[in-house]
Amino acid sequence: MADAGATEDQPSIVILTGAGISKESGLATFRDADGIWARYRIEDVATPEAYARDPERVLGFYNARRRGAVADDVHPNAAHLALARLEADWPGEVLIVTQNIDDLHERAGSKNLIHMHGELLKARCTACTGLHPWRDDITLDDACPACGSLGTLRPHVVWFGEMPLGLDDIGMALDACALFMSIGTSGNVYPAAGFVQQVRRLGRARTVELNLEPSEGATLFEHARYGPASDIVPAFVEGLLTRGLAAADGD
Ligand code: BJW
C-alpha cells in the first residue's frame, strides 16, 4: 500500500465496500432477503469451529461460491469501474478497503486495495501458512504446493472470530483521510462497521454512505446517497472529479 498521507492539495480518500457493490454483477449479498445467510447458517459455514467440525461442508460452500465468482457472466459493474477511475484520476491517494472476497475491484482496474476479509481465489495452507492462487475447488485430497502437506489447504477468508487482515494499514489510512465513503455494506460486521466512528472521532474527514437503502449504521454518516450502486457510485465519482470534496456534501 502507498503511504496514506494527505495534504490540502492531495486529500486522500478511503472507500469501504461490501457485498452490495457486487450485487449487480450477479453475486449475492449476505443479509438481504435473498442473501447467503437466508440459505446457510453462519455457524455451519463461516467460523473456524465449523471448519474444524466439518471441513468438507465448509469447503463445499466456498467451492460453490468460487465457481460462481469465476463464471463467464460475472463482470465488474459500473460502480467498480467508477472507483478504479477515481483512483486513476484523483490527485491524492484512494484506498479501497473491501470486505468482499471476490476479485471484481482488481478486474475493474483498482490497484490500491485491501481485502480485509480475504480472497476467494486464494488457498491458505494451515501447515506452512503459504498463500496460493486457486481458481478450482479446494478438496481434502489437495497437497499444499509449497510444503506438500495433504488436506491442509483452506479458503483464504476471514471467518467470525478470526482477525481481519490489514488492520494496521487501514487504521493509518482512516486517520489520514479527508473523505470516508462506505458503499454497499449493511454495517453489521465489526471492525468494518466501526470505521466511520474512528474517522469521525478525529473530525477531519467527510463521511458518506452510498447504499441501496439506509444501513444499520446510517445515522453515523454525515451524508448519504441511496440507490443501486451502479447508478449512485458513478454519479458520485463524477461529482468528486469535477467539483472536488465539496461534491460529497448534501444528500
Ligand atoms: C446494495 C445493493 C445494490 C444490496 N447497490 N447497495 C458483538 C459486538 C461487536 C462485535 C462482535 C460481537 N460479537 C462478535 C463480534 C465480532 C464479529 C462481528 O462483527 N459480529 C457481528 C455479527 C456482531 N466480527 C468478527 O468476528 C471479525 N473479527 C474480529 O472482530 O476479530 C477480532 C478483532 C478485530 C479488530 C480488533 C480487535 C479484535 C471477523 C468478521 C468476519 C466476517 N466474515 C464474513 C464471511 C467471510 C467472507 C465470506 O464468506 O464472504 O464476511 S461474514 C459476511 O459479512 C462477509 C462480509 O464481508 C461481511 C459484511 O457483509 P456486507 O458486505 O455488509 O453484506 P450485507 O449483505 O450484510 O449487506 C449488503 C448491503 O448492500 C445491504 O445494506 C444492502 O442494502 C446493500 N445493497 N444491493 C447498493 N445494488
Side-chain angles (χ1 to χ4, degrees), residues 54 58 88 108 167 178 194 221:
D54 192 348
V58 174
L167 289 181
F221 293 84

Side-chain angles (χ1 to χ4, degrees), residues 21-206:
I21 197 169
S22 296
K23 174 79 190 245
E24 292 162 83
S25 295
L27 301 182
T29 60
F30 291 92
R31 295 170 185 80
D32 292 319
D34 59 350
I36 293 171
W37 298 151
R39 287 175 281 132
Y40 296 89
R41 291 180 347 138
I42 289 176
E43 51 272 39
D44 287 340
V45 294
T47 67
E49 294 77 18
Y51 184 66
R53 203 168 48 239
D54 192 348
E56 281 180 325
R57 180 181 199 165
V58 174
L59 291 178
F61 170 71
Y62 284 99
N63 287 341
R65 287 181 57 201
R66 192 177 305 101
R67 282 182 231 131
V70 300
D72 289 342
D73 57 350
V74 172
H75 304 288
N77 64 51
H80 298 102
L81 294 167
L83 296 185
R85 177 182 168 220
L86 182 65
E87 182 184 337
D89 293 353
W90 184 253
E93 181 187 358
V94 174
L95 172 66
I96 296 176
V97 176
T98 189
Q99 298 169 88
N100 300 341
I101 61 175
D102 65 58
D103 66 345
L104 293 175
H105 284 302
E106 290 93 326
R107 285 163 61 187
S110 291
K111 306 257 183 297
N112 200 21
L113 175 67
I114 295 176
H115 276 279
M116 67 176 290
H117 290 166
E119 295 174 70
L120 189 54
L121 300 184
K122 288 184 181 164
R124 190 193 322 150
C125 177
T126 55
C128 74
T129 74
L131 267 187
H132 307 286
W134 209 272
R135 297 184 72 84
D136 300 321
D137 286 0
I138 300 176
T139 74
L140 294 175
D141 298 327
D142 288 318
C144 170
C147 72
S149 298
L150 268 182
T152 54
L153 293 178
R154 59 160 276 185
H156 179 50
V157 300
V158 177
W159 291 318
F160 282 103
E162 295 187 316
M163 190 62 83
L165 307 171
L167 289 181
D168 289 345
D169 285 340
I170 295 169
M172 286 188 288
L174 291 172
D175 287 348
C177 74
L179 171 63
F180 174 71
M181 301 159 58
S182 173
I183 304 175
T185 176
S186 61
N188 269 280
V189 175
Y190 287 84
F195 290 168
V196 61
Q197 287 156 304
Q198 177 172 345
V199 169
R200 289 202 69 183
R201 260 195 296 274
L202 287 181
R204 289 210 298 248
R206 291 167 159 93

